[in-house]
Amino acid sequence: MITSFIHRFSSPKSFVEVTARFFSYVMYLGLFLLATGWIWGLAFAPEDAIQGNSYRIIFLHVPASIFAQLIYFFMAVCALMHLVWRVKLAAYLIKSSAPVGALITFIALFSGSIWGIPTWGTWWQWDARITSTLILFIMYLGIITLHSSFSNAEKADRLMSILVVVGVVNIPIIKKSVDWWSTLHQPASITISEAPSIDLSMLYPLLISISGMGLTLIALGILISKLYIITREKTKKWVQNYV
């Protein structure tokens, strides 16, 4: 029963049809929120008492760091669906999400390096959080490379899914690295269990930036997924009718 339900609502055809209905709304809302959060944070949020204006990079760095991890977690869920229930859409979504994850992880690393220059006096430090995030970036590249190295797409899907599941162990390491080891990286300013340690005048634009980036990345993921699905399913009748 569970298998039947999953396959009914996770076919490539259904994905393309359903996402087409709300793609534009997600994209435009995401871009609007992202622009609002960045303009508010860069131009109107107050200067930090300790870090001065250099802290403003959090409106890019923090959202990028959050979604670098969330995208991989999403891929791990898809990998389990593909390995357990043989859902081919799940493999398509992994393949399409990996480039987005690699891009946003690179942005997180790059923006963190820029922030590190005035904060730590160096652009790079082999800090536990930074190193584990670098490993995440390498994992994304490895997933992309692994899938591209096989001519048999079905075999590539399965091996890619296995690698994603193995690599998910790095996500809790990234999350808890500042608690488990002595690091230069500051603890999270926003947590579910505790009140935020950041002033509300900075928190609101940060939350808007996070929401905007999330919706924008979803829209980007949908676009890449749709193109990849059409490529993989090009021999199917529904694709020929859709195109």
Side-chain angles (χ1 to χ4, degrees):
M1 183 177 180
I2 295 178
T3 302
S4 176
F5 176 84
I6 290 175
H7 281 281
R8 179 182 177 185
F9 293 100
S10 62
S11 69
K13 180 175 181 292
S14 298
F15 177 85
V16 171
E17 292 175 346
V18 171
T19 54
R21 300 172 189 169
F22 59 82
F23 171 77
S24 297
Y25 301 103
V26 173
M27 181 181 66
Y28 290 126
L29 179 59
L31 292 174
F32 172 76
L33 290 175
L34 196 56
T36 301
W38 283 355
I39 293 172
W40 185 352
L42 294 175
F44 299 103
E47 183 177 334
D48 186 73
I50 299 176
Q51 300 186 45
N53 286 316
S54 65
Y55 90 95
R56 297 184 190 277
I57 203 168
I58 67 170
F59 301 109
L60 171 63
H61 176 70
V62 171
S65 299
I66 290 173
F67 289 107
Q69 299 172 53
L70 285 180
I71 290 173
Y72 196 94
F73 183 77
F74 167 76
M75 289 168 55
V77 173
C78 290
L80 286 174
M81 292 181 65
H82 179 68
L83 292 172
V84 176
W85 290 292
R86 299 292 191 272
V87 178
K88 63 180 179 180
L89 174 63
Y92 295 173
L93 294 180
I94 296 171
K95 179 66 169 60
S96 304
S97 299
V100 180
L103 173 63
I104 205 64
T105 305
F106 175 79
I107 292 174
L109 288 167
F110 184 72
S111 59
S113 295
I114 295 175
W115 193 6
I117 294 173
T119 305
W120 300 335
T122 179
W123 69 276
W124 184 266
Q125 183 74 28
W126 290 103
D127 174 274
R129 171 64 61 84
I130 301 173
T131 303
S132 54
T133 303
L134 176 61
I135 293 173
L136 177 64
F137 177 64
I138 295 172
M139 285 295 302
Y140 278 123
L141 297 182
I143 290 164
I144 296 170
T145 303
L146 175 67
H147 194 277
S148 302
S149 63
F150 287 90
S151 57
N152 187 316
E154 286 71 24
K155 182 178 181 180
D157 291 343
R158 181 169 179 79
L159 292 176
M160 175 185 65
S161 298
I162 294 173
L163 180 59
V164 170
V165 171
V166 172
V168 78
V169 70
N170 189 43
I171 300 302
I173 293 176
I174 297 174
K175 179 66 176 175
K176 302 297 292 184
S177 57
V178 293
D179 300 320
W180 291 344
W181 295 286
S182 176
T183 68
L184 288 175
H185 200 286
Q186 67 187 53
S189 299
I190 306 173
T191 60
I192 299 176
S193 58
E194 300 178 3
S197 59
I198 184 173
D199 188 82
L200 294 180
S201 61
M202 303 173 183
L203 176 63
Y204 292 147
L206 178 57
L207 292 177
I208 293 173
S209 299
I210 292 171
S211 301
M213 183 170 286
L215 291 174
T216 303
L217 290 175
I218 289 173
L220 179 60
I222 290 173
L223 181 60
I224 296 175
S225 299
K226 188 177 297 186
L227 293 174
Y228 183 68
I229 287 171
I230 291 174
T231 301
R232 283 286 296 267
E233 301 279 307
K234 60 185 177 182
T235 59
K236 301 295 178 63
K237 183 177 180 180
W238 73 266
V239 173
Q240 298 170 1
N241 294 335
Y242 180 80
V243 175

